[in-house]
Amino acid sequence: TTASALEDFRRWLASQGGAGEGGKAFPAAVPEGLGLVAARDLPRGEVVAEVPKKLWMDADAVAASDIGRACGGGGLRPWVAVALLLLREVARGPGSPWAPYLAILPRQTDSTIFWSEEELLEIQGTQLLSTTAGVKEYVQSEFDSVEAEIISTNKDLFPGGITFDDFLWAFGILRSRVFPELRGDKIALIPFADLVNHSPNITSEGSSWEIKGKGLFGREAMFSLRTPVDVKSGEQIYIQYDLDKSNAELALDYGFVESNSSRDSYTVTLEISESDPFYGDKLDIAELNGLGETAYFDVILDEPLPPQMLPYLRLLCIGGTDAFILEALFRNSVWGHLELPLSPDNEESICQVIRDACKSALAAYHTTIEQDEELLESENLQPRLKIAIGVRAGEKKVLQQIDDIFRQREEELDGLEYYQERRLKDLGLVGDNVSVNHGGHWG
Ligand code: SAM
């Protein structure tokens, strides 16, 4: 972004009444691209930007535009509609009411959706690579239908045509700039407020913005952004984008990662095989407990396994003499039993299944954790390489942690207590509660 584009944007904002009340913050060039900088000392909670609805690019703006007229308002997914509005306004050039805003939007972010084939080699073997491919396929299929149904039939709106790369850019802009809660038909680009960058140091719960007015009593709705912490004059204002996103999600959505271990995660996918002789019973039990044929468990570094993972795993591995527990008689209590070890065989198989899966997943990465950590020490790492190393190291650490949990369990198999012993105890037949025949009790 050139200084003059930024100046034009500031002037446009001021003229539209969107400059932030009393000019408390202004847009400026910062290490993250553009950002919001405090014009004076601001206490925590101070409103730093107020953006009137007429400046938003949202569903209402689509409906009022020639895009809205071309699509008859119907059928389009909300994000596709806003993406088309964005591309149409770019195509209109200086004639667009949003022109000064469009001129300062980045041409790309470091999101993995924009990486070259060569850059993607750095994340081979990762879940991030397959998610990225999946997202691009999704965008491609949306593009194909929009191309056939709207772009090709409305050549006047897009005189220069629209390429897949244009459409992917619009998708990436939305994904990186829309405030997470503004999902679905609330999706909106909010000029100026969307310049605020993310800081890992801001960990306060609750969002830093709200929509005021909501158009009630003829008042125009207003997007209002607050600073979550005190900021000194001339310093950048930051918010927390989303505490729940993993590094892979941050990399995909925004194009950055954190070094915080709670962002390192790996999604374990488990599945009841259709060739399992007890497929029907197992599926039934899984569904009774809110799970399905396939279940996804997000494992986070330094945190315990998700609570339903072990019961589901034990269910998957039930076979042989343990199968009695699948009988309808037990249907309502079986999950409770599966929360604890069922039998030595069953417990051994869950360990094997998981450890084999960890081993083969770990073998698909082209570097070790140690190599990654050494690389992360080097200076002047390119941002995309830093993201790649951070994500692949994080995934491996979580896989290693999962493998460790089950290796330890494997070593402890003899000392665990299993279903049959628990049953006998419950019946008072073993252990401390032995109450049969030990005294003149029977007269
Ligand atoms: N910096 C943006 C710009 O120049 O328009 C404005 C913020 S926009 C909502 C989100 C994008 O800003 C991200 O996709 C990323 O490119 C950048 N960004 C925000 N926080 C960042 C951070 N902590 N580190 C690196 N890049 C960041």
Coordinates of all heavy atoms in Angstrom, one line a residue, residues 324-325 329-330 333 337 341-342 417-430:
F324 N -19.9 -59.6 24.2 CA -21.2 -59.7 25.0 C -21.7 -58.3 25.4 O -22.9 -58.0 25.5 CB -21.0 -60.5 26.2 CG -20.1 -59.9 27.2 CD1 -20.7 -59.1 28.2 CD2 -18.7 -60.0 27.2 CE1 -19.9 -58.4 29.2 CE2 -17.9 -59.4 28.1 CZ -18.5 -58.6 29.1
I325 N -20.7 -57.4 25.5 CA -21.1 -56.0 26.1 C -21.9 -55.2 25.0 O -22.5 -54.2 25.3 CB -19.8 -55.3 26.5 CG1 -20.2 -54.2 27.5 CG2 -19.0 -54.7 25.4 CD1 -19.3 -54.2 28.8
L329 N -29.1 -55.6 25.8 CA -29.3 -55.5 27.3 C -28.5 -54.5 28.0 O -28.9 -53.8 28.9 CB -29.0 -56.9 27.8 CG -29.1 -57.2 29.3 CD1 -30.6 -57.2 29.7 CD2 -28.6 -58.6 29.6
F330 N -27.3 -54.3 27.4 CA -26.3 -53.3 28.0 C -26.4 -51.9 27.4 O -25.6 -51.1 27.8 CB -24.9 -53.9 27.8 CG -24.6 -55.1 28.6 CD1 -24.8 -56.3 28.1 CD2 -24.1 -54.9 29.9 CE1 -24.5 -57.5 28.9 CE2 -23.8 -56.1 30.7 CZ -24.0 -57.3 30.2
S333 N -25.9 -48.7 29.3 CA -24.9 -48.6 30.3 C -23.5 -48.8 29.7 O -22.5 -48.6 30.3 CB -25.1 -49.5 31.5 OG -25.1 -50.8 31.0
H337 N -19.3 -48.3 30.9 CA -18.3 -49.3 31.1 C -17.1 -49.1 30.2 O -15.9 -49.4 30.6 CB -18.9 -50.7 30.7 CG -20.0 -51.1 31.6 ND1 -19.8 -51.2 32.9 CD2 -21.2 -51.5 31.3 CE1 -21.0 -51.6 33.5 NE2 -21.8 -51.8 32.5
P341 N -11.1 -49.4 31.4 CA -10.6 -50.5 30.6 C -11.6 -51.7 30.6 O -12.2 -52.1 31.7 CB -9.3 -50.9 31.3 CG -8.8 -49.6 31.9 CD -10.1 -49.0 32.4
L342 N -11.8 -52.3 29.5 CA -12.7 -53.4 29.3 C -12.1 -54.8 29.6 O -12.5 -55.5 30.4 CB -13.3 -53.3 27.9 CG -14.4 -54.3 27.5 CD1 -15.6 -54.1 28.4 CD2 -14.8 -54.0 26.0
E417 N -7.3 -52.2 36.1 CA -8.5 -53.0 36.5 C -9.5 -53.1 35.4 O -9.8 -52.1 34.8 CB -9.1 -52.3 37.7 CG -10.1 -53.2 38.4 CD -10.7 -52.5 39.6 OE1 -11.5 -51.5 39.4 OE2 -10.4 -52.9 40.7
Y418 N -10.0 -54.3 35.1 CA -10.9 -54.5 33.9 C -12.3 -54.7 34.3 O -12.6 -55.0 35.5 CB -10.3 -55.6 33.0 CG -8.9 -55.2 32.5 CD1 -7.8 -55.7 33.1 CD2 -8.8 -54.4 31.4 CE1 -6.5 -55.3 32.7 CE2 -7.6 -54.0 31.0 CZ -6.4 -54.5 31.6 OH -5.2 -54.1 31.1
Y419 N -13.1 -54.7 33.3 CA -14.6 -54.9 33.5 C -15.0 -56.0 34.4 O -15.7 -55.8 35.4 CB -15.3 -55.1 32.1 CG -16.7 -55.3 32.2 CD1 -17.6 -54.3 32.4 CD2 -17.2 -56.7 32.1 CE1 -19.0 -54.6 32.6 CE2 -18.6 -56.9 32.2 CZ -19.4 -55.9 32.4 OH -20.8 -56.2 32.5
Q420 N -14.4 -57.2 34.2 CA -14.8 -58.4 35.0 C -14.5 -58.2 36.5 O -15.3 -58.5 37.3 CB -14.1 -59.7 34.5 CG -14.6 -60.1 33.1 CD -16.0 -60.4 32.9 OE1 -16.8 -60.4 33.9 NE2 -16.5 -60.7 31.7
E421 N -13.4 -57.6 36.8 CA -13.0 -57.4 38.2 C -13.9 -56.4 38.8 O -14.3 -56.5 40.0 CB -11.6 -56.9 38.3 CG -10.5 -58.0 37.9 CD -9.3 -57.3 37.4 OE1 -8.6 -56.7 38.2 OE2 -9.0 -57.4 36.2
R422 N -14.2 -55.4 38.0 CA -15.1 -54.3 38.6 C -16.5 -54.9 38.9 O -17.1 -54.6 39.9 CB -15.3 -53.1 37.6 CG -14.0 -52.3 37.4 CD -14.3 -51.0 36.8 NE -14.8 -51.0 35.5 CZ -14.1 -51.2 34.4 NH1 -12.8 -51.3 34.4 NH2 -14.7 -51.2 33.2
R423 N -16.9 -55.8 38.0 CA -18.2 -56.5 38.2 C -18.2 -57.3 39.5 O -19.1 -57.2 40.3 CB -18.6 -57.4 37.0 CG -19.0 -56.7 35.8 CD -20.3 -56.0 35.9 NE -21.4 -56.9 36.0 CZ -22.6 -56.5 36.5 NH1 -22.8 -55.3 36.9 NH2 -23.6 -57.4 36.6
L424 N -17.2 -58.1 39.6 CA -17.1 -58.9 40.8 C -17.1 -58.1 42.1 O -17.7 -58.4 43.1 CB -15.9 -59.8 40.7 CG -15.9 -60.9 39.6 CD1 -14.6 -61.7 39.6 CD2 -17.1 -61.8 39.8
K425 N -16.3 -57.0 42.0 CA -16.3 -56.1 43.2 C -17.7 -55.5 43.5 O -18.1 -55.5 44.6 CB -15.3 -54.9 42.9 CG -14.0 -55.1 43.5 CD -13.3 -53.7 43.4 CE -11.8 -53.9 43.8 NZ -11.1 -52.7 43.6
D426 N -18.3 -55.1 42.4 CA -19.7 -54.5 42.6 C -20.6 -55.6 43.3 O -21.4 -55.2 44.1 CB -20.3 -54.2 41.3 CG -19.7 -52.9 40.7 OD1 -19.0 -52.2 41.5 OD2 -20.0 -52.6 39.5
L427 N -20.4 -56.8 43.0 CA -21.2 -57.9 43.5 C -20.7 -58.3 44.9 O -21.3 -59.1 45.5 CB -21.3 -59.1 42.6 CG -21.9 -58.8 41.2 CD1 -21.6 -60.0 40.3 CD2 -23.4 -58.5 41.3
G428 N -19.6 -57.6 45.3 CA -19.1 -57.9 46.7 C -18.4 -59.3 46.7 O -18.3 -59.9 47.7
L429 N -17.9 -59.7 45.6 CA -17.3 -61.1 45.5 C -15.8 -61.1 45.7 O -15.1 -62.1 45.9 CB -17.7 -61.8 44.3 CG -19.2 -62.1 44.2 CD1 -19.5 -62.7 42.9 CD2 -19.6 -63.0 45.3
V430 N -15.1 -59.9 45.5 CA -13.7 -59.8 45.7 C -13.3 -58.6 46.4 O -14.2 -57.7 46.6 CB -12.9 -59.9 44.4 CG1 -13.0 -61.2 43.7 CG2 -13.4 -58.7 43.5

